[in-house]
Amino acid sequence: MSSTNHQLLSPIEAIVGEAGILTGKALAGRSAGIWSGRQLKALALVRPRTTAEVSAVMKLCHAVGQAVVPAGGMTGLAGGHKSTASDIVMSSERMNRIETMDARSRTMVVGAGVILQTVHDRAAEDGLMFALDLGARASCTIGGNIATNAGGVRVLRYGMMREQVLGLEAVLADGTVVSSMFDVLKNNTGYDLRQMFLGSEGTLGIVTRAVLRLHEAPLAIETALLAVPSWDKVMELLRYFDAALPGALAAFEVMWRDHYELNTGPHSAVDAPLEPSTPYYILMDMFISDHEQGRAKLEALLTTALEQGEIADGALANSETERARFWQIRENFEPEQNCYDLIYGYDVSLPLEAMEDYVESVRTNLSQGFSDAALMAYGHIGDGNLHFSIYPGAARDREAVDELVYYPLQALRGSVSAEHGIGLEKKAYLGYTRSAAEIELMRKTKRMMDPGNILNPGKLFDI
Ligand SMILES: Cc1cc2nc3c(=O)[nH]c(=O)nc-3n(C[C@H](O)[C@H](O)[C@H](O)COP(=O)(O)OP(=O)(O)OC[C@H]3O[C@@H](n4cnc5c(N)ncnc54)[C@H](O)[C@@H]3O)c2cc1C
């Protein structure tokens, strides 16, 4: 590490104050991420409070070519927030203020470091809802959600993070502030610069503030768990419920039997509401406007589906506690962690018609290559998003398992990342989903916006 870069620390401290920069021993208690178990590596952890402070720090870093890794809640699952001992980690943790909440225009202006759950809670106070929702809601930040264009469990009805952001403010590598803090839905005034930062994984700018779009909160939520005898019936049920209650389907999650069995078995705190005897389990949320009528209609739909053999069994949650219990079966990863000392996580998307064969061929190839491996499948299947948790067996050959999962997606026109991003972990496979011309255009964009390659260098692709 050059002494020049060490000499940056005092001027940075002059900008952000003593509490705004942690170095050396002060970093000892800081973790490198939610599941990493390792200590954060950094030349310094910088914690600015305002866009102006971020801009001033970036100007200094730009002048000497200092690498900067933007960080939010560090819950990312693609390694995008990973840093080395010579990086400055720019944390949004002190930009954590809700600036305004406007219930009439259904917008909220927030700092990039505001936690997703905090946004949910504030919107709920006014009978509103922020549509992005995901398992890491208690730790992930709005800036991280923007940088990864996060997805989650409500994409089917409301779209990804891209759809939830009306405006944002970002600081470029050279310290330039780009403020697009619009709060209107329609704005056709040239290139949509705000979208440049959504999904850019901290490589094009540091997001500092955002205008979020809110929706009316549902008057009632009905949650059903269904045991389904075949993949064809999973696909039929998606249309059946969506057509019978138009616009009400807000989550359509599918768990393959191995995930359901593990998460309701002896390693889990949740007992199985339905016998683990069918190959698929659907977990479904319906947002309805009339509790009595909506529930009666849903009960009638379930009865018909049962009589026609579309489902083998079904249960409707009778209370908030039961709803939470059903969702725990989908979202809880403790049973995996209790059973296996290592899990590789995957997040892909592909057409629903191809999904059953794809999962079975990955499972077969995995067991042929590694007899002691295990695969759990689940995902936001309503929007074609499949997750695998794979125990790789004693061989622990990450590259070989990655190939088994990613290679077949090329022929299926699937994506190696549905929602978690590319980061470091999927860099080698970007070309399986994006063409050479697309990747070159991304590189040109990066070179134009960050000529010194100081913002999250080495993430997404190499320059
Ligand atoms: C249990 C669990 C469940 C999850 N479920 C989902 C899910 O359903 N859907 C989904 O999409 N993701 C999911 N994730 C992944 C993760 O929560 C999301 O990617 C989230 O958006 C990351 O936010 P963060 O604040 O933790 O970002 P970080 O992990 O800190 O960073 C992620 C990336 O964004 C960049 N970044 C962070 N803040 C900024 C900023 N202010 N400006 C510019 N760049 C920035 C980082 O450099 C990095 O590249 C899950 C994670 C866990 C642990």
Side-chain angles (χ1 to χ4, degrees):
M1 193 185 318
S2 78
S3 57
T4 321
N5 292 3
H6 269 294
Q7 283 162 16
L8 267 182
L9 301 180
S10 296
I12 290 179
E13 185 173 327
I15 296 164
V16 295
E18 205 183 329
I21 181 166
L22 306 180
T23 55
K25 285 192 184 136
L27 283 173
R30 305 292 299 220
S31 134
I34 197 159
W35 282 337
S36 86
R38 278 176 283 113
Q39 191 191 310
L40 180 75
K41 286 185 187 160
L43 170 63
L45 177 76
V46 177
R47 313 186 307 149
R49 280 164 303 194
T50 63
T51 304
E53 287 183 6
V54 175
S55 167
V57 173
M58 286 312 298
K59 275 181 190 150
L60 292 177
C61 294
H62 184 248
V64 296
Q66 168 62 48
V68 176
V69 177
M74 296 189 179
T75 68
L77 297 175
H81 62 268
K82 277 192 185 158
S83 55
T84 69
S86 56
D87 293 331
I88 282 191
V89 174
M90 185 84 84
S91 168
S92 60
E93 63 196 54
R94 294 205 303 167
M95 293 189 284
N96 59 353
R97 210 166 60 78
I98 295 181
E99 296 176 21
T100 60
M101 161 76 204
D102 185 339
R104 283 207 299 187
S105 66
R106 292 184 288 196
T107 56
M108 195 188 292
V109 178
V110 299
V114 173
I115 301 290
L116 178 59
Q117 181 72 61
T118 309
V119 171
H120 286 178
D121 294 345
R122 179 64 191 88
E125 284 173 26
D126 280 291
L128 293 167
M129 179 192 74
F130 183 57
L132 182 85
D133 193 17
L134 47 94
R137 59 184 75 80
S139 310
C140 64
T141 63
I142 293 298
N145 300 152
I146 290 173
T148 58
N149 182 28
V153 299
R154 304 266 178 254
V155 173
L156 183 61
R157 179 162 168 161
Y158 296 99
M160 296 182 71
M161 187 63 174
R162 210 175 273 300
E163 316 292 331
Q164 322 306 331
V165 180
L166 293 173
L168 60 74
E169 190 162 274
V171 177
L172 304 186
D174 66 357
T176 304
V177 176
V178 179
S179 192
S180 301
M181 292 290 282
F182 299 106
D183 54 8
V184 287
L185 202 50
K186 299 179 88 174
N187 179 15
N188 270 350
T189 49
Y191 302 148
D192 191 343
L193 297 175
R194 148 195 75 145
Q195 293 294 349
M196 296 283 291
F197 301 100
L198 277 134
S200 68
E201 301 187 43
T203 61
L204 297 182
I206 299 182
V207 177
T208 52
R209 299 166 70 217
V211 185
L212 304 179
R213 175 187 186 189
L214 307 175
H215 292 273
E216 292 303 320
L219 295 178
I221 306 178
E222 291 294 346
T223 299
L225 185 65
L226 313 174
V228 187
S230 73
W231 182 254
D232 274 350
K233 293 195 187 306
V234 169
M235 289 198 294
E236 282 164 22
L237 288 163
L238 175 57
R239 284 206 62 194
Y240 172 72
F241 288 108
D242 215 4
L245 287 164
L249 196 57
F252 191 88
E253 303 285 310
V254 177
M255 296 167 266
W256 272 246
R257 180 176 166 167
D258 29 47
H259 176 89
Y260 181 81
E261 214 164 6
L262 182 67
N263 277 19
T264 53
H267 295 284
S268 167
V270 183
D271 293 332
L274 307 175
E275 281 301 306
S277 53
T278 53
Y280 305 101
Y281 291 82
I282 294 174
L283 177 63
M284 203 170 65
D285 269 356
M286 306 289 258
F287 284 3
I288 52 181
S289 50
D290 182 311
H291 177 64
E292 302 279 302
Q293 270 186 15
R295 190 165 176 100
K297 179 134 196 209
L298 200 49
E299 276 169 351
L301 288 170
L302 291 184
T303 305
T304 309
L306 197 59
E307 284 167 1
Q308 293 178 347
E310 295 293 311
I311 59 174
D313 202 355
L316 267 178
N318 286 313
S319 62
E320 262 308 304
T321 314
E322 203 168 15
R323 261 200 84 224
R325 213 155 56 86
F326 285 7
W327 270 99
Q328 222 187 325
I329 300 171
R330 163 64 181 84
E331 288 189 334
N332 188 7
F333 293 97
E334 264 171 39
E336 265 179 20
Q337 288 159 355
N338 293 340
C339 281
Y340 301 107
D341 63 346
L342 180 67
I343 287 283
Y344 298 158
Y346 294 91
D347 154 51
V348 303
S349 67
L350 68 157
L352 285 187
E353 309 82 61
M355 203 171 273
E356 183 191 22
D357 287 349
Y358 168 74
V359 173
E360 288 322 308
S361 77
V362 171
R363 195 190 296 285
T364 305
N365 292 337
L366 186 71
S367 63
Q368 280 170 358
F370 310 98
S371 57
D372 54 345
L375 177 151
M376 277 72 65
Y378 50 92
H380 317 298
I381 302 302
D383 37 86
N385 185 173
L386 173 71
H387 293 307
F388 289 136
S389 292
I390 293 183
Y391 168 65
R396 290 167 190 250
D397 187 343
R398 176 92 209 210
E399 224 173 282
V401 178
D402 283 0
E403 275 293 334
L404 282 180
V405 173
Y406 294 136
Y407 186 81
L409 293 170
Q410 298 171 91
L412 299 170
R413 297 190 58 74
S415 171
V416 297
S417 174
E419 58 179 11
H420 294 164
I422 296 294
L424 278 178
E425 296 197 356
K426 297 182 208 168
K427 250 169 76 170
Y429 306 99
L430 184 60
Y432 284 4
T433 300
R434 306 300 289 266
S435 68
E438 285 179 299
I439 296 172
E440 191 43 36
L441 183 56
M442 290 194 227
R443 282 205 180 98
K444 278 185 184 152
T445 308
K446 167 75 173 169
R447 285 189 203 113
M448 187 260 298
M449 291 178 71
D450 178 14
N453 192 23
I454 61 167
L455 267 177
N456 225 359
K459 310 290 166 55
L460 258 175
F461 43 72
D462 290 318
I463 278 297

